[in-house]
Amino acid sequence: MRAYPVDIFHGLLQGKSVIYAAGRLENGETFGLLDDRVPPCFYIRTSDASGLDALWQKHRAQRQSTDWTTMDGEPVQRLTLPTVRDLRLLEKDLDHRGIRTYEADLDYPQFYRIRTGIHGMVRLEGLWQPSRHVNRFYINPTMSAVEGSPDLRVLALDIETDAQASRLLGLSLVSWQLQSSQRTEEVLLIGPPRADDPPDTHALPDEKQLLQRFRERVLALDPDIITGWNVIDFDLTVLEKLSKKHGIEFNLGRTKEHSFGKQSQYFGKGRMVIRGRQVLDALQMVRHTLTNFEDLRLNTVAQELLGRGKTLAIEEWEDAAQKIEQAWRSDRPAFCQYVLEDSRLVRDILIRQGLLDLTLTRSVLTHLPLEKAWGSVAAFETLYMGALHQRGMVAPTRGIDGSEEEGGTGGLILNPVVGLHEHVLVFDFKSLYPSVMRTFNIDPVAFIQGMKEGEGITAPNGAVFAREPAILPGILHEFFQHRAAARERGQAAAAYSYKIIMNSFYGVLATDACRFADGQLADGITTLGQKLLLWMQTYFTKRGFQVLYGDTDSLFVAVPELSTMPLAERLALGQKLSQEANEALAQALWAEYQVDSHMELEFEEYFRYFFLPADRQGGGSRAKNYAGLQKDERSERLEIKGMEAVRSDWTPLARRLQRELLAMLFQRTPPAQMVTHIKAVIRAMQAGQLDDELVYRKRIRKPLEAYTRTTPPHIKAARLLPRTVRVVRYVMTSEGPQPLGFVKAPVDHEHYRIKQILPIVEGLAPFAGFRADEACSGHTALLFKDDYDEDHSL
């Protein structure tokens, strides 16, 4: 029977630590298993093992010789312990004696996953028996990895409480399966049944009975995944607290163990442990989409992705709990609709964005449980340690042999050539840092060996990497192949997962949170990346082209000869130039380093017009800021990066105006028409017709009372609100900044002309042929620059 282990955990059985797992079988039933064949263990160097017989006996440790070594080649011995507690105590004793340990800090289930290679779907073989909590229970079954995607059941949860979260009003449950259309929806609330209660609404007389019914429904729906918006830090935490208050067993899982929360000082890092299931916070998963949101409130994200939001209109400064409780008391249909829609929104966001499929795919690729699948450090360490074991090596315990220096060298930025340009080709190194690692054999073990022997491939910063084929390039090679295959099969989730995992490896190697990190190693990657970008700049310059800008892995190259070609030939030339550049780079890398190049410079896009703005002082350029008119065989579109039009700290009016002016600039609109448009916008604004577009939106990052030395406008506005908010929306008035809903003075339109419109116009006017100050004033004389040709050419 094929199966998916949803949760792998450990417990005690007859005084020994054993592994348990629970999950979903391919026939829809649930299963559990016990495995006592892989006891807890860790390693020490053989040179440190003698003379400690009393210590081994004290902690009941069994010492075994192995043919394994540390990463720097020292032989190790394995210490096997009866329980995880024994292991932790022995590790502590050894640490006090100054004896190095290896893999002693590993979570036992993580160690089990690494040792057995269990991740994703497995084939279960062996005898089983029925169990109270699962349909089938196996003891020491034979398991082998198989292909396939599990059809898991998901439950979205939302609760509503009073303002103190001390009293429950009601909750909603929305259940569905990943690979079928089966769905259920229901609302549980406190109060007597009413004739106007919506369908699937269950009224309970008091809080205790509602909590009991909630637990019954969770066990009956039997989800593999429980989710919701901030479901860990709020919904489930409140339900746990209230269940304890009423003496109700808070066990929502597939074992007899109580479910419990683990709080964290960091937002979004808490856990809710429900044995046999996984709790995934939808709010945290949304962080991994490609969409940038103004904030991560459910209503904001839902409006952006689904075009709908919460059913009760509540401003952030309003008392939301009071408004919801009022609906609960006097408008039951509205309350039921509100609480139910919150769970529906979570479901529809996850489905629309494919986030559960992404999380499942990433979990399989990284060998991590679903709840930890998005952790970059854990993913790297688990993959790398599995490969280390295949080579007979062990990893250091975190904090042992680590470098205290983090990588500090970033990507190279080539100074932009300010101005308006024509016929620009954009070239981009495909997966720059992963490709650098593959090409130059960059890897923790290769680094240790290279620096020890002083021979190998030397990076510009002096880091040396041994030439013997290393682990990390091998992992990346497989990932590149699997990603290409996934793209050919149309498996977007898998292809995207491979990409983001590979791209995270550099960051992991640059932070001391990873046991394999080293600052010099990480800087070796970035300095090689810089060298490659400079090499490409030189290559294109020698070909007679002008490199207008470069940033880490991208080059923007002006190719004047494109002006005489049809569009299809322009695009074909871009492909041809990238192919020739790759061939030349491969030859250069072999000549200098004797390595086979895995670098691939791709032709990414073609801009008919391309604009690089000056800084606001007019004395230099602005890195990571540009706009262009992108053209391909199917469409033409305006692309903007970094400029005010795509920044949330500028008003909607300024953002809109900049987009309009850029479009006019690229369409070669005569300057008189551009000025006419600017003046029309100013007149409409001054007439009060555009007040809806004059709203500033600023996030408040500190308590209001912490602003003492200076008081920015958004803080002044926030202090006028009756309640503290995370994001304040305000307008500038004749009496200063005032928040929406509390605007009492006239809007200061002159402020917006000077602080929002004028800076936008100033950035474009020199390249469009008119003067910004006069375009933004009421004067028309001396408006146009003398050096602008009548035919409006550059």
Side-chain angles (χ1 to χ4, degrees), residues 111-127:
F111 163 76
Y112 180 81
R113 287 173 179 269
I114 293 171
R115 179 58 62 86
T116 63
I118 296 301
H119 56 280
M121 295 287 286
V122 298
R123 185 182 305 281
L124 281 177
E125 297 181 69
L127 298 178

Side-chain angles (χ1 to χ4, degrees), residues 464-628:
V464 183
F465 301 92
R467 291 185 175 274
E468 182 181 347
I471 291 172
L472 185 52
I475 293 174
L476 288 167
H477 176 70
E478 290 186 11
F479 271 39
F480 271 98
Q481 288 185 320
H482 290 318
R483 183 190 176 206
R487 294 175 72 175
E488 289 181 5
R489 294 192 297 265
Q491 296 173 330
Y496 177 65
S497 294
Y498 280 116
K499 177 181 177 180
I500 58 177
I501 293 169
M502 289 191 297
N503 288 342
S504 73
F505 285 174
Y506 160 72
V508 165
L509 290 172
T511 171
D512 60 7
C514 175
R515 74 188 71 227
F516 301 109
D518 186 281
Q520 190 176 10
L521 184 157
D523 280 353
I525 298 171
T526 51
T527 54
L528 282 164
Q530 292 176 358
K531 182 172 183 177
L532 291 169
L533 194 72
L534 288 170
W535 190 94
M536 279 298 176
Q537 180 189 33
T538 301
Y539 170 81
F540 282 116
T541 301
K542 288 182 178 179
R543 291 285 303 264
F545 306 130
Q546 183 182 18
V547 177
L548 301 173
Y549 177 52
D551 184 354
T552 306
D553 59 357
S554 300
L555 285 168
F556 298 78
V557 182
V559 184
E561 64 191 74
L562 296 177
S563 61
T564 62
M565 300 180 181
L567 178 60
E569 292 183 16
R570 297 173 187 176
L571 302 179
L573 180 60
Q575 298 289 357
K576 181 173 180 289
L577 289 175
S578 66
Q579 181 180 349
E580 293 172 352
N582 284 319
E583 291 172 356
L585 178 61
Q587 294 173 7
L589 291 180
W590 180 260
E592 182 171 355
Y593 292 101
Q594 294 78 55
V595 296
D596 293 322
S597 175
H598 295 285
M599 308 305 304
E600 183 179 351
L601 190 75
E602 295 182 300
F603 165 56
E604 187 173 283
E605 53 190 338
Y606 160 65
F607 287 117
R608 174 63 181 87
Y609 294 104
F610 183 66
F611 178 62
L612 288 163
D615 62 26
R616 293 194 181 94
Q617 288 71 41
S621 58
R622 293 163 60 180
K624 299 183 182 294
N625 284 252
Y626 64 82

Side-chain angles (χ1 to χ4, degrees), residues 618-644:
S621 58
R622 293 163 60 180
K624 299 183 182 294
N625 284 252
Y626 64 82
L629 185 67
Q630 185 195 71
K631 300 190 72 169
D632 59 28
E633 294 172 330
R634 297 182 300 277
S635 64
E636 175 179 287
R637 70 182 182 88
L638 182 65
E639 181 175 317
I640 303 173
K641 299 289 186 182
M643 297 176 66
E644 292 82 359

Side-chain angles (χ1 to χ4, degrees), residues 79-110:
L79 297 172
T80 302
L81 288 301
T83 69
V84 172
R85 182 175 183 274
D86 291 321
L87 185 152
R88 298 287 173 243
L89 291 173
L90 176 55
E91 176 199 7
K92 189 175 181 180
D93 266 2
L94 290 170
D95 184 56
H96 285 162
R97 294 169 183 257
I99 295 177
R100 296 169 183 257
T101 60
Y102 294 82
E103 302 184 6
D105 63 316
L106 287 184
D107 175 71
Y108 185 25
Q110 181 189 15

Side-chain angles (χ1 to χ4, degrees), residues 316-389:
E316 189 173 1
W317 48 265
E318 291 185 301
D319 189 333
Q322 184 181 44
K323 204 163 184 177
I324 294 167
E325 187 166 354
Q326 180 62 31
W328 172 71
R329 292 184 185 280
S330 59
D331 192 348
R332 283 271 285 272
F335 173 81
C336 292
Q337 177 71 9
Y338 179 80
V339 66
L340 184 59
E341 183 66 2
D342 274 12
S343 289
R344 286 172 173 165
L345 291 174
V346 168
R347 175 196 63 198
D348 294 347
I349 288 170
L350 295 180
I351 292 174
R352 173 71 62 86
Q353 298 297 106
L355 285 169
L356 290 174
D357 289 334
L358 273 174
T359 303
L360 273 166
T361 302
R362 186 176 171 97
S363 172
V364 172
L365 297 181
T366 60
H367 305 185
L368 293 172
L370 290 171
E371 66 176 356
K372 298 180 179 178
W374 291 96
S376 297
V377 171
F380 182 91
E381 291 192 342
T382 301
L383 288 169
Y384 198 83
M385 278 191 274
L388 272 181
H389 288 184

